[in-house]
């Protein structure tokens, strides 16, 4: 017994000594050493380290470190993003972090290492953290799939691995072992496959966010789940929405937007709404059938409904004379088949006095402007009624609204004028968009007093008079000013030359501004579109101080003289459009070529070699047509990123080099009406016209940048974006010029080599261009036959081979071209039969005139007369007719022989003869 007591005393003494040691040293040595290793990593990637680290032996007193009060071991470690003022390069190996560095913290319950953008390695190094409950590694780089070892951290209650570039499937990851898990965040990765049913069987899971991945298939929901928040946005989920999704009693947030879900929403009048349900987001799907707001009448806590962009979903909002129990904050019904009575009979909306965010855009709603939406009783922050059929006057909606931040009534039929004291009506407005209406009058100077206004779009109306200069100089929060397509006039910028600091985009195109440009423009403006006005005089940019300018369009004015060398100072310029003016002389030879992506100087009188002005490796769209440029086309070899190149109606000469075939991003090429000679290189058939990879499809069309605005506390729901788009380019096809912009860029591909002196045979390899839409080789000196391989151009819509010296017959194979709308082989030396099947039965004789030996073979007819009227000679050129005739002759011959020599009647007949 005494022996046992002595041992107890010994343990008690050791415990006291250990406690005394801890109280003196502060924290465990191995944990302090691990923190110093973490500090070294921060310094290696040039991150800031808390100043208290290393200054005291007691690491429990350091910033972002929390220790257990009894054991003195570290329990919470918060190393989240605000430690990082800037990010390291992911190519730098110093950003690699071995997660085993955290293995010393044996009693760690919370680890937040979010926002570091580190290359995380060796996830297995966390396996010893058996007490870890909260793990946040979001906004890092955890390449590959989710580590299976995550299933061994059995105490985890919350996991956040958002935005980590992970991939692979969730199957067999081991989540079923995490029986305590309440939150799982895997947003914005590359995860794929179907959703594992085991994930929805976790007994305590309340928050599941798998948005913005590549999941597909059905949602494996069962009625026994305990989820409160479910986010599956922007995946590839398909099928119908399971009815069990609406069964749980604890569901608060439901977000399935941005998928391929279809069919009806499985709720009806007998549905018992969860008493906790606050959010329903089913936007950007393919849902159909009815959705009656009567079904959700008992959802007393419902705050947000978003059914937008389900064009077949019939949304019914009549509330049958009673007031719903819920008080919505957000209602988004854009691009739905919306009940038209929501505007004409606003019984439902009149009851929602707490509504802050309302989007009824793109529904073809008729009726008058709903002025009752802007009464003093309403607390709206965001109002979007764009793209409807609303009529009436603006005068009815001008009421004092201190909360309103966005008004968008664009694309309607609204008349009237802007209120002279609009700044008093909407003192906190951030976005004002009344574009594409019938609004008239002048622009009130009181707009300059709206201190929060960032976007003002008054384009496509009937405004007249001058633009107040204060809009350019005194609106210190204004980013975008759009006044395009009105009848505004006077001096450009009303004489102002120095722009306010935040002014990002100025759109004054297609008005009646006149006079010369200011010589001393200054500011940080990035977009300046002034095309389609009446500006005159020379363009002297030598004193411009616009270091941020990225897009400049001065097209369709009356500018004269040369292009001043001072434009070379605009080193950030991506897009330059000086087309349809009266510029003369040579392009300026800058000491450093501009890194332009889009350049158009068409419709001037420029001469010399054009490539001295731009950096060939950056240009993606180049329009030099209708000028007097000379020389050969060897400089085209270096246009490695070019998609659209228009060189028509110049004086280029020489031959088309086979180096042209290295331009693998080509979609449109027009070198017509020049003095080019020689043959077409056969390798042109290897250019994938109209078949670009996905990455290039996204970046192929130049953009001057965009600005995005967030309003209130609604996150992505309240973004208002503005992106600069070019006016497009003109390409002639089907005998007519068409203008193509961003929306049609990827849908058009074509070649126009017409009106040159090209010769030789047309290469049969051109037939490999299966995605090309237009081919024009007319007005040249081509000889030989039409290649039968043209039948492989399955998407071609316009084919012009007229006015050459082609001979032979028209290949019968090309009658397979079902997309062909315009066809001409006029004025050649073709012979044989006219094709008369498929699309070719729709072409008149103008397509074939000037070919005296062509004839119709559908009836007794002769050669084609010079006026294009077919003669009356039978056709014998179709190989199918030859084959059928030969087989018929052989069968008839042998049938006769058999009858004569084998049949008794035939034998008697021969003997009688």
């Amino acid at each position: 017994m005494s022996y046992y007591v002595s041992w107890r005393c010994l343990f008690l003494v050791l415990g006291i000594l250990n406690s005394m040691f801890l109280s003196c040293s502060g924290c465990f040595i191995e944990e302090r050493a691990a923190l110093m290793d973490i500090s070294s990593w921060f310094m290696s990637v040039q991150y800031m380290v808390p100043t208290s680290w290393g200054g005291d032996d007691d690491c429990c007193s350091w910033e972002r470190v929390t220790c257990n009060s009894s054991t003195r071991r570290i329990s919470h470690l918060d190393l989240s993003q605000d430690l990082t003022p800037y990010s390291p390069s992911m190519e730098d190996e110093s950003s690699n972090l071995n997660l085993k560095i955290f293995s010393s913290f044996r009693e760690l319950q919370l680890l937040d290492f979010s926002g570091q953008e580190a290359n995380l390695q060796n996830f297995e190094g966390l396996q010893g953290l058996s007490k870890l409950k909260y793990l946040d590694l979001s906004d890092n780089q955890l390449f590959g799939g989710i580590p299976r070892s995550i299933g061994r951290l059995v105490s985890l209650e919350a996991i956040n691995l958002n935005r980590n570039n992970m991939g692979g499937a969730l199957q067999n990851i081991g989540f079923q072992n995490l029986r305590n898990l309440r939150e799982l965040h895997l947003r914005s990765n590359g995860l794929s496959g179907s959703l594992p049913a085991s994930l929805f069987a976790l007994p305590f899971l309340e928050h599941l966010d798998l948005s913005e991945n590549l999941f597909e298939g059905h949602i494996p929901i069962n009625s026994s789940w305990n989820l409160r928040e479910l986010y599956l946005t922007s995946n590839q989920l398909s099928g119908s929405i399971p009815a069990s999704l609406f069964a749980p009693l604890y569901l608060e947030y439901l977000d399935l937007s941005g998928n391929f879900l279809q069919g009806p929403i499985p709720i009806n009048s007998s549905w018992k709404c969860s008493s906790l349900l606050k959010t329903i987001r089913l936007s950007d799907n393919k849902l159909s059938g009815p959705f009656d707001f009567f079904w959700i009448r008992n959802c007393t806590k419902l705050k947000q409904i978003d059914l937008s962009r389900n064009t077949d979903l019939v949304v019914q909002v009549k509330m049958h004379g009673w007031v719903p129990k819920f008080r919505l904050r957000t209602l988004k019904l854009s691009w739905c088949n919306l009940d038209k009575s929501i505007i004409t009979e606003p019984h439902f909306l009149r009851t929602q006095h707490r509504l802050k965010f309302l989007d009824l855009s793109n529904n073809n709603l008729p009726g008058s402007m709903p002025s009752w939406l802007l009464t003093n009783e309403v607390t709206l922050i965001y109002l979007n009624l764009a793209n409807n059929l609303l009529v009436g006057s603006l005068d009815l909606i001008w009421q004092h609204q201190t909360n309103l931040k966005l008004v968008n009534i664009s694309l309607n039929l609204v008349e009237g004028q802007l209120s002279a004291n609009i700044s008093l009506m909407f003192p906190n407005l951030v976005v004002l968009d009344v574009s594409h209406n019938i609004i008239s009058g002048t622009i009130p100077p009181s707009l300059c007093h709206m201190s929060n206004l960032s976007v003002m779009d008054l384009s496509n109306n009937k405004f007249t008079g001058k633009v107040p200069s204060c809009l350019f100089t005194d609106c210190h929060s204004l980013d975008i000013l759009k006044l395009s397509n009105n009848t505004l006039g006077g001096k450009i910028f009303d004489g102002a030359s120095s722009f306010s600091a935040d002014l990002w985009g100025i759109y004054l195109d297609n008005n009646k501004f006149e006079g010369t440009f200011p010589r001393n423009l200054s500011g940080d403006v990035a977009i300046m579109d002034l095309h389609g006005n009446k500006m005159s005089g020379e363009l002297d940019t030598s004193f411009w101080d616009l270091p941020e300018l990225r897009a400049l369009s001065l097209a369709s004015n009356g500018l004269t003289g040369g292009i001043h060398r001072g434009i070379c100072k605009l080193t950030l310029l991506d897009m330059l459009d000086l087309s349809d003016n009266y510029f003369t002389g040579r392009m300026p030879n800058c000491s450093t070529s501009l890194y332009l992506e889009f350049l158009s100087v068409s419709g001037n009188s420029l001469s010399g070699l054009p490539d001295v002005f731009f950096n060939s490796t950056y240009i993606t769209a180049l329009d030099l047509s209708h000028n007097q440029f000379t020389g050969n086309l060897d400089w085209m070899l270096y246009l490695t990123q070019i998609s659209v190149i228009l060189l028509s109606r110049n004086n280029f000469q020489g031959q088309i080099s086979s180096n042209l075939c290295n331009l693998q991003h080509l979609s449109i090429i027009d070198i017509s009406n020049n003095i080019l000679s020689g043959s077409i290189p056969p390798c042109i058939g290897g250019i994938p016209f109209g078949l670009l990879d996905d990455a290039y499809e996204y970046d192929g069309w130049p953009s001057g940048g965009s600005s995005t605005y967030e309003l209130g506390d609604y996150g992505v729901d309240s973004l208002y974006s503005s992106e600069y788009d070019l006016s497009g380019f003109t390409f002639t096809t089907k005998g007519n010029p068409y203008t193509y912009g961003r929306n049609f860029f990827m849908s058009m591909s074509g070649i126009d080599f017409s009106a040159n002196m090209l010769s030789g045979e047309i290469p049969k390899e051109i037939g490999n261009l299966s995605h090309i839409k237009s081919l024009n080789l007319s007005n040249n000196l081509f000889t030989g036959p039409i290649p039968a391989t043209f039948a492989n151009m399955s998407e071609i819509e316009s084919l012009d081979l007229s006015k050459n010296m082609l001979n032979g017959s028209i290949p019968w194979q090309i009658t397979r071209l079902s997309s062909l709308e315009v066809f001409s082989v006029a004025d050649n030396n073709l012979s044989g039969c006219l094709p008369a099947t498929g699309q070719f039965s729709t072409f008149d004789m103008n397509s074939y005139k000037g070919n005296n030996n062509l004839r119709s073979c559908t009836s007794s007819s002769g050669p084609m007369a010079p006026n294009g009227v077919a003669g009356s000679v039978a056709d014998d050129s179709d190989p199918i007719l030859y084959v059928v005739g030969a087989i018929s002759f052989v069968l008839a011959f042998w049938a006769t022989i058999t009858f004569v020599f084998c049949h008794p009647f035939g034998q008697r007949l021969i003997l009688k003869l």
Side-chain angles (χ1 to χ4, degrees):
M1 184 67 178
S2 60
Y3 176 80
Y4 176 70
V5 171
S6 63
W7 274 108
R8 289 186 61 187
C9 292
L10 178 61
F11 284 131
L12 180 61
V13 170
L14 290 175
I16 294 172
L17 290 175
N18 182 58
S19 178
M20 292 174 61
F21 173 78
L22 286 175
S23 63
C24 294
S25 62
C27 63
F28 284 85
I29 295 176
E30 67 271 21
E31 292 188 338
R32 186 180 188 279
L35 289 177
M36 296 311 297
D37 289 340
I38 295 171
S39 175
S40 298
W41 182 84
F42 280 138
M43 289 187 289
S44 70
V45 293
Q46 299 180 336
Y47 279 180
M48 292 176 60
V49 180
T51 55
S52 60
W53 281 35
D56 186 349
D57 289 339
D58 184 9
C59 59
C60 291
S61 64
W62 294 359
E63 297 173 59
R64 300 182 170 274
V65 177
T66 303
C67 293
N68 186 297
S69 58
S70 58
T71 64
R72 303 296 291 171
R73 281 198 172 272
I74 295 176
S75 61
H76 292 68
L77 201 53
D78 182 359
L79 305 175
S80 55
Q81 60 182 354
D82 54 339
L83 287 176
T84 62
Y86 50 89
S87 303
S89 170
M90 290 297 103
E91 299 177 356
D92 188 353
E93 292 186 1
S94 64
S95 63
N96 296 339
L97 180 68
N98 192 326
L99 291 176
K100 193 173 182 180
I101 199 170
F102 298 106
S103 62
S104 299
F105 309 113
R106 301 175 186 175
E107 294 189 11
L108 196 63
Q109 297 181 32
L110 180 147
L111 175 57
D112 188 345
F113 197 73
S114 60
Q116 306 295 350
E117 299 190 11
N119 293 323
L120 302 180
Q121 300 175 348
N122 190 18
F123 192 89
E124 289 72 17
L126 301 178
Q127 290 184 23
L129 306 182
S130 59
K131 297 184 179 181
L132 191 63
K133 295 182 179 180
Y134 183 96
L135 176 63
D136 189 348
L137 300 178
S138 59
D139 295 291
N140 284 286
Q141 304 290 330
L142 191 62
F143 295 105
I146 299 176
R148 295 187 179 184
S149 57
I150 200 171
R152 300 176 188 175
L153 302 175
V154 294
S155 297
L156 278 175
E157 297 180 6
I159 306 172
N160 190 342
L161 299 178
N162 291 344
R163 296 173 296 276
N164 261 286
N165 283 329
M166 295 183 297
L170 283 181
Q171 304 290 343
N172 303 318
I173 296 300
F175 284 116
Q176 65 272 18
N177 298 328
L178 306 179
R179 308 297 291 177
N180 297 311
L181 197 62
R182 296 181 182 275
E183 298 183 20
L184 178 58
H185 305 259
L186 297 174
R187 177 185 291 264
S188 301
N189 283 286
L191 302 172
S192 59
S194 59
L195 296 172
S198 59
L199 198 60
F200 293 88
L202 295 175
F204 300 112
L205 191 62
E206 297 180 358
H207 183 114
L208 177 60
D209 189 350
L210 303 178
S211 301
E212 300 170 21
N213 282 283
L214 299 171
F215 293 114
E216 57 189 4
H218 297 269
I219 306 173
I221 301 296
N222 61 67
S223 57
S224 62
W225 65 332
N226 293 312
L227 272 176
R228 293 180 182 269
E229 303 180 15
L230 176 61
Y231 301 88
L232 293 172
T233 65
S234 302
N235 282 283
Q236 299 178 14
L237 299 173
S238 59
S240 58
I241 300 176
S244 56
L245 192 62
F246 293 90
L249 298 177
Y250 304 106
L251 186 63
E252 296 182 17
Y253 298 93
L254 174 62
D255 192 346
L256 304 178
S257 57
N259 286 286
F260 299 105
L261 300 171
Q262 56 191 359
I265 299 175
I267 56 179
N268 52 46
S269 57
S270 63
W271 175 56
K272 186 177 181 181
C273 178
S274 167
S275 61
L276 301 175
L277 188 61
K278 296 179 181 178
T279 297
I280 299 177
R281 294 187 62 187
L282 303 174
S283 60
D284 294 284
N285 281 287
K286 299 180 179 180
L287 300 172
S288 59
F291 181 91
D292 196 329
F293 271 56
F294 182 76
W295 298 343
I296 56 176
R297 63 193 182 281
N298 295 320
C299 301
T300 58
K301 293 190 176 181
L302 200 58
K303 304 296 182 188
Q304 298 186 34
I305 298 177
D306 187 356
L307 306 177
S308 301
R309 291 173 294 280
N310 287 286
T311 54
D312 294 326
L313 187 66
V314 181
V315 181
Q316 301 167 351
V317 296
K318 291 183 179 180
M319 302 306 289
H320 309 293
W322 54 270
V323 177
K325 298 179 181 180
F326 52 78
R327 295 290 181 267
L328 294 178
R329 301 287 182 87
T330 299
L331 178 62
K332 297 188 68 176
L333 301 176
S334 175
W335 291 109
C336 292
N337 189 352
L338 181 58
D339 185 351
K340 302 300 186 285
S341 68
I342 196 169
I343 292 293
T344 57
E345 298 178 9
H347 302 302
F348 161 59
L349 284 179
R350 282 190 187 274
T351 67
Q352 302 302 302
H353 298 303
R354 297 181 183 177
L355 195 63
K356 295 183 179 298
F357 190 107
L358 178 62
D359 188 351
L360 304 179
S361 61
N362 304 291
N363 278 294
N364 290 324
L365 297 176
S368 301
M369 277 294 299
S371 57
W372 49 269
L373 279 173
L374 294 175
T375 62
N376 293 329
E377 302 174 356
V378 182
T379 58
L380 278 176
I381 292 177
Y382 180 109
L383 175 62
N384 190 349
L385 301 175
N387 199 13
N388 284 293
L389 299 172
L390 300 176
V391 298
S393 175
L394 280 179
D395 301 337
L396 300 176
I397 73 168
W398 300 129
Q399 303 183 49
H400 186 64
Q401 286 287 319
T402 58
N403 296 316
L404 205 58
K405 293 187 177 181
L406 180 144
V407 174
N408 188 351
I409 58 171
S410 61
L411 293 161
N412 280 286
L413 301 170
V414 179
E415 301 176 326
Q417 300 183 6
L418 293 182
S419 173
N421 60 346
I422 188 173
S423 60
L424 298 178
M425 300 292 183
F426 306 129
N428 295 309
L429 205 61
V430 176
V431 174
L432 174 63
D433 190 346
V434 298
S435 61
H436 295 272
N437 280 285
I438 321 172
I439 303 170
S440 58
T442 58
I443 298 175
S446 64
L447 286 166
C448 302
H449 304 308
M450 302 177 73
S451 58
N452 296 317
L453 193 63
S454 294
V455 178
M456 182 170 67
D457 191 349
L458 311 182
S459 61
N460 294 277
N461 280 287
K462 294 186 176 182
F463 288 104
T464 57
K466 296 182 178 181
V467 179
S469 61
C470 60
L471 288 177
F472 304 104
T473 59
D474 298 339
C475 293
H476 299 295
S477 63
L478 190 61
D479 290 339
I480 295 178
L481 176 61
K482 289 189 176 183
L483 304 176
S484 311
N485 296 293
N486 282 285
T487 319
L488 298 165
K491 197 173 183 180
I492 196 74
F493 311 130
D494 197 31
S497 59
S498 180
F499 302 127
S500 56
D502 288 334
L503 194 54
W504 181 84
I506 301 174
Y507 303 79
L508 304 180
D509 51 290
N510 291 312
N511 280 283
K512 294 184 177 181
F513 296 108
E514 55 189 11
T516 58
F517 276 97
R519 296 186 60 189
N520 55 344
L521 286 179
S522 63
D524 292 331
V525 64
I527 308 294
M528 194 158 63
D529 191 343
L530 310 176
H531 80 268
N533 281 286
K534 297 182 177 181
M535 308 299 297
S536 60
E538 295 191 3
L539 179 66
D540 187 353
T541 59
S542 54
F543 296 102
W544 283 14
D545 184 16
L546 301 173
E548 302 296 325
L549 192 63
R550 294 187 57 188
L552 175 63
S553 178
L554 305 177
S556 302
N557 278 281
L559 302 175
T560 58
I563 299 176
H564 201 279
R565 200 168 184 276
I567 206 167
C568 299
K569 296 193 305 180
L570 305 176
T571 56
L572 293 184
L573 206 58
D574 290 331
M575 295 183 287
L576 177 62
D577 190 350
L578 302 177
S579 60
D580 296 312
N581 281 284
Y582 300 98
F583 290 115
T584 58
R586 296 174 177 267
M587 300 291 290
N589 189 353
C590 303
S591 57
T592 302
S593 299
L594 293 179
Y595 298 118
L596 292 167
E597 294 182 21
F598 176 96
L599 173 63
S600 177
V601 292
S602 66
N604 286 284
S605 299
L606 297 167
S607 58
L609 290 173
D611 61 315
V612 297
F613 181 61
F614 55 86
N615 190 307
S616 300
T617 57
Y618 286 84
I619 200 88
T620 60
L622 178 64
D623 188 353
L624 307 179
S625 58
H626 295 263
N627 278 283
Q628 299 173 14
F629 290 114
T630 57
N632 58 41
L633 298 181
D634 290 347
W635 51 272
M636 286 176 54
L637 166 66
Y638 305 103
L639 306 179
T640 55
Q641 299 299 317
I642 198 73
S643 292
V644 176
I645 182 165
L646 309 175
L647 308 179
S648 66
R649 298 189 182 277
N650 279 283
N651 296 314
F652 292 114
Q653 54 189 346
Q655 297 187 349
I656 301 176
S657 169
S658 60
N659 290 326
L660 173 69
C661 305
N662 295 325
L663 308 183
Q664 291 292 299
H665 295 306
L666 267 181
S667 183
I668 299 284
I669 180 170
D670 183 355
I671 54 176
S672 62
N673 291 277
N674 281 284
I675 320 173
L676 299 170
S677 58
S679 60
I680 297 178
C683 61
I684 197 172
I687 301 176
F689 281 89
L691 186 62
L692 304 181
D693 56 78
D694 293 339
Y696 194 79
E697 180 175 341
Y698 181 80
D699 294 326
W701 185 246
S703 170
S706 61
S707 287
T708 304
Y709 306 88
E710 188 171 327
L711 310 167
D713 299 322
Y714 295 91
V716 295
D717 283 344
S718 55
L719 292 180
Y720 183 92
S721 297
S722 178
E723 185 172 10
Y724 179 66
D725 198 5
L726 296 165
S727 58
F729 61 91
T730 300
F731 178 68
T732 298
T733 180
K734 304 177 186 177
N736 294 295
Y738 294 90
T739 299
Y740 297 89
R742 177 186 298 274
N743 293 336
F744 300 99
F745 171 57
M746 295 310 300
S747 64
M748 186 58 197
S749 58
I751 296 175
D752 190 347
F753 289 172
S754 63
N756 281 282
M757 296 190 297
L758 300 173
S759 58
E761 293 191 358
I762 299 175
K764 63 180 181 180
E765 288 82 0
I766 290 182
N768 296 332
L769 304 177
S770 57
H771 295 280
I772 204 165
K773 301 292 177 63
S774 178
L775 176 62
N776 189 348
L777 303 179
S778 65
N779 286 278
N780 279 288
L781 305 172
F782 290 116
T783 57
I786 299 173
T789 56
F790 276 17
N792 298 325
M793 296 189 293
S794 56
E795 296 183 16
I796 197 162
E797 299 172 358
S798 178
L799 177 59
D800 191 349
L801 306 177
S802 62
K803 297 183 179 179
N804 281 284
M805 295 184 288
L806 301 173
N807 54 43
S809 61
I810 299 175
W812 63 269
Q813 292 92 336
I814 67 174
T815 59
R816 303 170 185 166
L817 299 176
S818 58
S819 299
L820 196 61
E821 298 178 19
V822 174
F823 174 70
S824 180
V825 290
D827 299 307
N828 280 283
N829 297 318
L830 298 171
S831 59
C833 288
L834 295 174
T837 59
Q839 285 292 102
F840 285 80
S841 63
T842 66
F843 303 139
D844 61 28
M845 302 314 287
N846 288 325
S847 298
Y848 308 102
K849 67 179 182 179
N851 291 277
N852 296 333
N853 294 316
L854 274 178
R855 55 190 178 275
S856 172
C857 303
T858 56
S859 60
S860 297
S861 54
M864 188 156 93
N867 62 359
V869 180
S872 59
V873 176
D875 171 51
D876 59 356
S877 63
D878 194 325
I880 294 179
L881 296 179
Y882 280 121
V883 173
V884 173
I887 293 175
S888 300
F889 175 82
V890 171
L891 290 175
F893 174 79
W894 283 109
T896 303
I897 294 299
T898 302
F899 174 80
V900 169
F901 292 100
C902 299
H903 196 277
F905 181 77
Q907 293 173 350
R908 289 195 300 272
L909 184 62
I910 291 296
L911 291 174
K912 290 180 180 181
L913 294 175

